[in-house]
Amino acid sequence: MLSTFEGFIPGDRYSPLYILTIVLINLPIITILLHGLWQVVSPKDPNVPPVVFHWIPIFGSAAQYGHDPINFFFKCREKYGDVFTFILFGRKMTVALGPKGNHFVTGGKLSEVSAEEAYTHLTTPVFGKDVVYDVPNHILMEQKRFVKFGLSVENFRAYVGLIEDEVETYLNNDPSFTVYGLGDINEWGSFNALKCMQELTIFTASRTLQGKEVRASLDKSFADLYNDLDGGFTPLNFLFPNLPLESYRKRDRAQKAMSDFYVQIQENRKDEDHSHDHDMLAALASQKYKDGTPLTERQIAHIMIALLMAGQHTSSATASWALLHLADRPDIADALYEEQVKHFSTPDGKLRAMTYEELKDLPLLDSVIRETLRVHPPIHSIIRKVIKDVPVPGSLANPGPDLTYIVPKGHYILSCPALSQADPAVWRDANKWDPLRWSDPEGVAAQAFKTYDDATGEKVDYGFGAVSKGTESPYQPFGAGRHRCIGEQFAYVQLGVVLSTIVRRLEMRLDTPIPSPDFHTMITLPKKPCNIRYRRRNFD
C-alpha cells in the first residue's frame, strides 16, 4: 500500500512526516479491521444478548436497519435468534422479535423501561412542552384520558357525514380530479395517491377533531408552517436532536407559531358557547387533572399539535397503501363497491349517506383496512429506554441452562410488530395483500385480531380507561399496552369513510407494480411514483 501513495506524499519515504501521513491515511482501515477482529475473538458474556457483527464502530448496523429494517431483522433472527443487539450510532438497541418480543417491549414495567426517555428528544420540539413524552407517565395517561373523552361515539356519529362531505368536495375541486369533474365515465385521469391522501387526511381531521377554525385556516401559510414542523419529525431528528441546521430552526419557529395559533383560537372562543361543538378543542377545554388542576391553554395547544401530526402521518400512509392495493386488485375494489350498493342503495339507484353504526357493519371494508395495516403498519419499530437492568424471559430467549439474558440499563429495547405481521411462520402468503384472509373466523388473522382486541378478556386501566392489553398478539397495528394509540377508533372511522366514498365515485387501476415501502421516513410510506389511474364510476 505504501507504493500507492509514492509521489503524492511529500518528504522522504522514511521520514517521520511520511510515516505519519501513511498511518493517518490507513488509520480508518486499521480501526475497522481491529474492530471486526475484536468482535470475533473477544470473550462473550453469556448473560448478554449477542451483538450483530458490524464493521464500523459507532455507526454499527445503521445502514442495514435504515434501508430495510424488516429484512435486516429476519436475517439477524436466522443467525442470533429472537433476541439480539445491534449498534445504531452508538446506541445499543436490543431487539425482541415475535409476539413474545412484542409483549416484552410494549408490556414492560415502568420501573424498568421508559417510552418517555426513548422519544422525548424527538417529540417535544415538535409537539411542545408539558405534553405526551415531556411529562411523567402518569400525567401522559391522564392526558390520554382527556383525549379519549373527546373521541366519543356521539362525536364519531357527527364525523361520518363531515368526512364524507370533505371527500366529495375534494374530488369536485382538486386539480388532480379534473377528469372526474367532467362527468364522463369513458375518460381516465390520474392522481398521486400519497399527495392526495396527505391533503385529504388533514382536511378531514381539521373538519372533525381540530375544529372549524383550523379547517378555515388551511391556506398556504398554514401549509408552510405544517411542512416546517413536519421537517423536524424525521429519523435524522431522532438520531441527532440538536444539529445546527436550518430545518431544525424552521421546526422551532413553526412550533411556536402553531402553538400561538391554537392559543389564539381558545382566546377567541371564550366569549362564545362551544359546549355543543364536537371538536377536540371543546372537549379539552373542560378537562382537569385528578388533583383539580385544569389543562392550560398552552397544554391544550400542544396536545392539538400532537393529534394533528401523529394522526395525519399514520392515516394518510394507510389510506395511500389501501388505494394502491385496491387499484392493483380491481376485483376487491368492485366487491367493496358492491358492499356499498348492498347496504346503501336507494330506489333511484343512488347511494345514500353512511352512519357510524352502519360503517361498523361492513365486513369487507373492515378487512381491507385490517389487511392494509397488517402489510403496511405505519410504524415498524417500537422503542423503550432501559432504566433498570431487565431480565429476558426464558420463553422469549434461552441462552442455556441456568442462564438468563439481561438487558443492561442504558440500552434500548425494540420490538418490531411489522415483522410479526409479515412472519411466514404465522401468516399464509405473508407478503400477499389478501383482505379475504380476515373472513375466516377460525383463521390465523381472525385469531390474531381476537388476541389483539381481547374483547372478552381482562381489561387494564392504565389511567385513561379500561383497555385490552393486546401485547401478545402477532397483529399490533396501533401498538399495545399503556401506549396503545388512543386514536385507533377515529382512524377506523376516518379511513372507512374516505375509502368508501372514493370507491363509490371512482374505478381505479395501477399500471405499475405496488411501490416498495420507504423506510427512510418516520412513517412507512410508499416510494414514488405512486400514481393511480381513475375514471368516474357512474354518471351522477
Side-chain angles (χ1 to χ4, degrees):
M1 182 171 289
L2 291 176
S3 60
T4 305
F5 298 98
E6 287 186 15
F8 296 95
I9 302 173
D12 183 83
R13 64 180 298 175
Y14 297 110
S15 70
L17 176 61
Y18 183 91
I19 295 173
L20 178 61
T21 304
I22 292 297
V23 169
L24 290 175
I25 290 173
N26 288 280
L27 185 59
I29 298 174
I30 295 170
T31 301
I32 289 172
L33 292 175
L34 289 176
H35 182 68
L37 180 63
W38 173 251
Q39 291 176 81
V40 174
V41 302
S42 63
K44 306 297 188 295
D45 185 342
N47 291 112
V48 176
V51 178
V52 175
F53 182 85
H54 55 283
W55 285 108
I56 305 176
I58 302 176
F59 184 78
S61 303
Q64 300 95 309
Y65 174 70
H67 178 68
D68 189 343
I70 314 303
N71 186 50
F72 172 60
F73 288 153
F74 269 123
K75 289 182 176 179
C76 289
R77 174 192 253 181
E78 292 179 4
K79 187 172 182 178
Y80 304 105
D82 280 335
V83 177
F84 52 87
T85 298
F86 74 96
I87 306 302
L88 180 66
F89 286 100
R91 296 173 175 86
K92 295 180 179 179
M93 315 292 293
T94 297
V95 181
L97 298 177
K100 293 185 184 299
N102 293 342
H103 176 69
F104 177 64
V105 175
T106 59
K109 297 178 181 179
L110 283 179
S111 61
E112 297 177 337
V113 300
S114 170
E116 291 76 18
E117 292 200 29
Y119 291 119
T120 186
H121 62 281
L122 170 70
T123 59
T124 301
V126 176
F127 301 161
K129 300 287 291 181
D130 300 324
V131 300
V132 193
Y133 295 124
D134 192 50
V135 294
N137 187 264
H138 70 279
I139 298 297
L140 170 58
M141 295 301 106
E142 289 200 65
Q143 292 177 353
K144 291 181 73 170
R145 175 169 58 84
F146 301 154
V147 173
K148 188 175 181 180
F149 176 80
L151 297 173
S152 64
V153 171
E154 178 187 0
N155 286 349
F156 288 161
R157 287 176 179 142
Y159 291 167
V160 170
L162 296 176
I163 295 172
E164 186 174 2
D165 181 64
E166 280 291 336
V167 178
E168 291 180 348
T169 300
Y170 189 80
L171 292 177
N172 286 321
N173 293 283
D174 189 83
S176 297
F177 296 96
T178 301
V179 171
Y180 171 82
L182 298 176
D184 186 348
I185 63 172
N186 297 309
E187 288 290 327
W188 288 83
S190 69
F191 66 94
N192 182 303
L194 181 58
K195 173 184 174 294
C196 290
M197 290 307 100
Q198 286 174 332
E199 293 174 352
L200 196 50
T201 299
I202 203 168
F203 289 153
T204 55
S206 62
R207 180 78 179 275
T208 54
L209 287 180
Q210 296 284 321
K212 60 180 181 291
E213 298 96 335
V214 179
R215 180 64 185 91
S217 300
L218 291 184
D219 55 16
K220 185 179 185 303
S221 62
F222 188 94
D224 289 341
L225 276 182
Y226 177 85
N227 289 332
D228 287 347
L229 198 57
D230 190 40
F233 201 70
T234 70
L236 181 67
N237 298 94
F238 177 77
L239 293 169
F240 307 104
N242 300 304
L243 292 179
L245 300 177
E246 180 61 20
S247 62
Y248 286 64
R249 291 188 284 271
K250 284 184 176 180
R251 173 202 65 188
D252 295 341
R253 290 194 293 266
Q255 200 288 323
K256 184 181 185 306
M258 192 80 79
S259 178
D260 291 343
F261 168 73
Y262 281 106
V263 168
Q264 187 60 53
I265 291 176
Q266 295 173 76
E267 289 291 327
N268 295 341
R269 283 189 172 196
K270 286 182 177 179
D271 297 328
E272 305 171 4
D273 180 15
H274 289 269
S275 59
H276 299 292
D277 286 4
H278 294 285
D279 60 61
M280 189 59 67
L281 274 170
L284 294 176
S286 62
Q287 298 304 301
K288 295 181 179 180
Y289 291 102
K290 290 180 180 178
D291 64 2
T293 304
L295 275 169
T296 67
E297 290 182 346
R298 194 62 67 177
Q299 287 173 332
I300 292 174
H302 294 170
I303 290 173
M304 296 301 295
I305 294 173
L307 290 173
L308 177 69
M309 298 297 295
Q312 196 277 341
H313 283 95
T314 53
S315 291
S316 61
T318 303
S320 300
W321 284 117
L323 290 179
L324 288 164
H325 280 288
L326 288 170
D328 188 56
R329 290 287 304 276
D331 57 321
I332 299 294
D334 289 343
L336 203 56
Y337 175 72
E338 290 303 321
E339 184 176 66
Q340 294 286 314
V341 171
K342 176 182 176 182
H343 285 81
F344 304 108
S345 60
T346 59
D348 61 359
K350 295 184 178 180
L351 296 175
R352 62 175 176 82
M354 298 165 274
T355 68
Y356 171 67
E357 281 74 18
E358 290 170 327
L359 190 67
K360 295 172 65 178
D361 193 31
L362 299 172
L364 183 56
L365 175 64
D366 190 60
S367 295
V368 165
I369 295 173
R370 290 188 196 179
E371 181 69 351
T372 302
L373 288 167
R374 183 192 72 82
V375 178
H376 305 287
I379 299 174
H380 57 74
S381 299
I382 295 177
I383 302 171
R384 303 286 183 264
K385 178 77 174 287
V386 178
I387 57 177
K388 177 184 177 183
D389 290 359
V390 182
V392 177
S395 58
L396 172 57
N398 185 1
D402 301 321
L403 293 174
T404 300
Y405 280 148
I406 302 294
V407 183
K409 177 182 177 180
H411 281 217
Y412 293 81
I413 55 174
L414 180 154
S415 66
C416 183
L419 181 140
S420 60
Q421 291 177 194
D423 192 342
V426 177
W427 307 87
R428 171 184 50 82
D429 296 327
N431 293 322
K432 181 181 179 181
W433 185 82
D434 180 17
L436 301 182
R437 74 171 76 239
W438 297 89
S439 61
D440 179 3
E442 303 301 322
V444 169
Q447 295 305 308
F449 184 77
K450 184 177 180 181
T451 303
Y452 188 52
D453 186 50
D454 199 18
T456 60
E458 179 185 359
K459 300 293 186 292
V460 181
D461 189 348
Y462 297 105
F464 57 92
V467 295
S468 304
K469 289 198 302 182
T471 53
E472 297 192 46
S473 173
Y475 178 74
Q476 294 186 1
F478 292 94
R482 67 176 56 250
H483 291 286
R484 185 163 175 164
C485 178
I486 193 69
E488 180 176 351
Q489 295 307 313
F490 174 77
Y492 273 106
V493 173
Q494 185 183 36
L495 290 167
V497 178
V498 168
L499 295 178
S500 295
T501 307
I502 290 176
V503 166
R504 285 181 173 195
R505 302 295 189 272
L506 306 178
E507 289 183 28
M508 297 175 289
R509 296 291 185 273
L510 204 62
D511 292 335
T512 58
I514 295 289
S516 300
D518 183 359
F519 293 114
H520 298 155
T521 54
M522 292 300 296
I523 303 298
T524 308
L525 304 174
K527 286 183 178 180
K528 299 176 182 179
C530 49
N531 294 324
I532 293 175
R533 287 199 308 124
Y534 74 89
R535 68 177 180 180
R536 197 182 190 102
R537 189 176 283 277
N538 289 301
F539 287 108
D540 286 336

